[in-house]
Amino acid sequence: MRKLIGWAAIAFLAYTVFMCVYLFYLSDTSIPAQLKGSSVDPATFMTPRELLLSEEFSQIKNLLFFIAIPYKWLILILILCFGFSRKFSTWAAAISSKSFIQTAIYVFWFSFLTFILFFPLDFLGYEVSKRYRITTQTFQDWMKDQMTTFWLNYGLMLVIVFVVYILIRKFEKRWWLYAWLLSIPFTIFLTFIRPVIIDPLYNDFYPLKNKELETKILALAKEANIPAEHVYEVNMSEKTNSLNAYVTGIGSNSRIVLWDTTLNKLKEDEILFIMGHEMGHYVMKHIYFGVGGYLLLSLIGLYITRHLVVWIFRRGKDTLRIKDFTDISSLPLLLLVFSILSFAASPLTNAVSRFQEHKADEYAIEMIGNKQAAVSSFQKLTKAGLSQVNPPKLVKIFRYSHPTILERIDFIEKYEDGG
């Protein structure tokens, strides 16, 4: 156990040092010489101070992103090796003989401990965003969102864990397949209810006040065959200075949503371009491809997880303090393996997402036909979020679900010349 904890801690520290050196000293975020002075060059639309702040903020946020993932793995290893998982399982069994009650007790203590251990990193991320004036949210409101997320995740996790361990106990070899089959309607259901049940837990949604703009957006939606009767705005200015808009949901629950920060900081033609982009996702059914891709990867991930967990359990059950693979105390091991596999798959999922975002940009250009509005909207998005125009390669591969701003503006500028 001591060896495992020691090597895990050493690996985490070595990785953290490497990422610090890479992000702050080795990565090149400069603009290619041939693009200097063009609309891609942030020096043409950002002040020297904004350039400095965007570089600092991006470096820190990227570092926090890359640290957070292995830190989560380290937490799961420590929960296993120090016997917390086994202790939670023992407490739950002593309180009730009913499986659901035991699961509810275990999941609560496990969720609470991971929340506490991860809180310093979450709080640091909040403080960094607050310092650079990206986040406008008060600490009290931020904590309210944190607690909402905690209880929402607890409820979802309780249902999932309860069902998965029933399957593990009844179908030791094929539980992963049955779990995946049940995840299909569950995933579709969550996608369907998110716009009307989950999202309003965090923000207030109301019909767009600018009726003239709403009429123009709905005209675009009609042209794109999107079944929307209203455009919604959301009061994100209470939380952030960043800009965003989206089309979410499926079927009758589809919603067109604009952040009020977007309404306040972008011109009408820029907003229409952004909406054209979001409508492109709907028209090209990217949400369905996204759900399908997630289900396919989760099938592969669950299959590999099952075999890896059994292999690890047979060789290290005493070190990891796991009673039995069918006991809920093995949950951190399941989550650890699945999380590592998800991270390993992120370059692929991000690449697919970047392709879809590129196609949505192309759709918006064809639909709106306003090249200058497209360029200026991306420039303003960059300024508002203090984003890097040309991020380091590892950041793009593992973090970027959208093309870089450099790629997006450069594509738009060349589009009339043949794309």
Side-chain angles (χ1 to χ4, degrees):
M1 180 186 72
R2 290 178 179 175
K3 286 184 178 180
L4 177 59
I5 294 174
W7 281 113
I10 290 171
F12 176 73
L13 290 174
Y15 166 84
T16 301
V17 170
F18 168 77
M19 291 310 306
C20 286
V21 173
Y22 173 75
L23 291 172
F24 287 90
Y25 300 103
L26 299 181
S27 57
D28 182 13
T29 59
S30 62
I31 302 300
Q34 67 272 20
L35 295 177
K36 292 282 188 180
S38 70
S39 59
V40 171
D41 188 351
T44 64
F45 60 88
M46 297 176 76
T47 67
R49 177 166 175 76
E50 287 174 333
L51 288 171
L52 176 63
L53 292 177
S54 68
E55 191 67 18
E56 290 179 353
F57 177 70
S58 296
Q59 287 174 332
I60 296 171
K61 291 295 285 186
N62 289 334
L63 179 61
L64 290 177
F65 168 81
F66 280 106
I67 288 178
I69 297 167
Y71 181 65
K72 177 183 177 181
W73 301 342
L74 182 62
I75 286 175
L76 293 173
I77 291 172
L78 295 179
I79 288 175
L80 286 167
C81 291
F82 282 127
F84 287 110
S85 185
R86 186 166 184 168
K87 179 64 70 175
F88 296 156
S89 177
T90 302
W91 287 351
I95 292 173
S96 176
S97 60
K98 295 183 178 181
S99 179
F100 183 78
I101 301 298
Q102 290 179 1
T103 303
I105 295 170
Y106 175 92
V107 170
F108 173 79
W109 285 112
F110 173 77
S111 299
F112 180 73
L113 181 59
T114 53
F115 174 82
I116 294 299
L117 293 175
F118 210 82
F119 182 81
L121 208 57
D122 284 335
F123 179 70
L124 181 58
Y126 164 75
E127 280 295 311
V128 169
S129 294
K130 192 76 180 287
R131 177 183 175 186
Y132 285 88
R133 298 184 179 180
I134 300 300
T135 294
T136 59
Q137 199 171 18
T138 64
F139 176 75
Q140 290 79 4
D141 286 341
W142 180 76
M143 277 302 302
K144 179 183 176 183
D145 281 353
Q146 292 292 106
M147 297 312 300
T148 299
T149 300
F150 174 84
W151 288 112
L152 181 62
N153 288 343
Y154 171 72
L156 292 174
M157 190 176 183
L158 173 58
V159 173
I160 294 170
V161 170
F162 178 67
V163 172
V164 166
Y165 273 89
I166 286 178
L167 296 174
I168 288 175
R169 290 161 189 154
K170 289 189 176 183
F171 311 101
E172 187 175 342
K173 292 185 177 180
R174 294 192 179 275
W175 65 266
W176 59 274
L177 178 60
Y178 299 126
W180 178 77
L181 290 172
L182 289 175
S183 75
I184 297 175
F186 186 71
T187 300
I188 295 173
F189 175 70
L190 285 180
T191 304
F192 183 77
I193 68 167
R194 178 173 178 173
V196 294
I197 295 180
I198 297 177
D199 288 347
L201 295 175
Y202 295 91
N203 296 99
D204 296 325
F205 292 79
Y206 38 86
L208 184 62
K209 297 172 186 175
N210 186 338
K211 295 304 176 183
E212 183 179 345
L213 177 61
E214 182 182 46
T215 299
K216 293 180 180 180
I217 293 173
L218 290 176
L220 293 177
K222 184 177 181 181
E223 182 181 340
N225 293 319
I226 297 176
E229 297 181 0
H230 300 284
V231 178
Y232 293 88
E233 61 178 284
V234 55
N235 60 330
M236 287 301 296
S237 57
E238 296 179 358
K239 298 183 178 182
T240 182
N241 283 317
S242 296
L243 314 179
N244 199 10
Y246 55 88
V247 178
T248 188
I250 54 177
S252 60
N253 274 15
S254 298
R255 273 192 173 188
I256 301 173
V257 179
L258 278 161
W259 287 12
D260 61 348
T261 51
T262 303
L263 291 165
N264 295 335
K265 295 181 181 181
L266 295 188
K267 297 177 181 177
E268 183 177 280
D269 56 352
E270 295 166 340
I271 293 173
L272 292 177
F273 169 77
I274 295 295
M275 295 313 304
H277 169 94
E278 298 304 330
M279 291 176 188
H281 286 305
Y282 186 93
V283 170
M284 292 180 276
K285 304 189 185 318
H286 288 165
I287 190 170
Y288 296 99
F289 284 111
V291 170
Y294 167 78
L295 291 173
L296 176 60
L297 285 177
S298 64
L299 173 62
I300 298 170
L302 284 169
Y303 173 78
I304 297 174
T305 296
R306 187 266 171 190
H307 289 280
L308 278 179
V309 167
V310 170
W311 182 80
I312 294 171
F313 174 74
R314 288 173 180 171
R315 285 158 178 77
K317 63 180 180 179
D318 293 331
T319 300
L320 299 176
R321 307 286 185 90
I322 298 174
K323 293 180 182 179
D324 186 82
F325 173 63
T326 61
D327 186 81
I328 198 172
S329 60
S330 66
L331 177 63
L333 180 58
L334 276 172
L335 295 177
L336 174 64
V337 173
F338 198 77
S339 177
I340 292 173
L341 292 175
S342 297
F343 181 69
S346 62
L348 173 62
T349 57
N350 284 338
V352 172
S353 177
R354 288 194 298 270
F355 173 77
Q356 291 179 335
E357 295 294 337
H358 172 74
K359 298 304 291 183
D361 283 348
E362 187 175 0
Y363 178 90
I365 284 289
E366 293 176 353
M367 175 184 243
I368 307 301
N370 191 333
K371 173 178 164 181
Q372 186 53 47
V375 171
S376 60
S377 64
F378 285 134
Q379 291 175 338
K380 290 180 181 179
L381 285 168
T382 303
K383 284 167 63 74
L386 291 181
S387 305
Q388 287 175 314
V389 170
N390 189 27
K393 192 161 188 176
L394 286 181
V395 174
K396 175 184 173 181
I397 291 172
F398 285 97
R399 192 179 182 195
Y400 271 50
S401 59
H402 290 61
T404 66
I405 293 296
L406 184 150
E407 292 169 336
R408 300 179 88 170
I409 295 180
D410 190 46
F411 165 74
I412 291 168
E413 290 286 22
K414 295 176 179 177
Y415 189 78
E416 288 185 351
D417 297 327

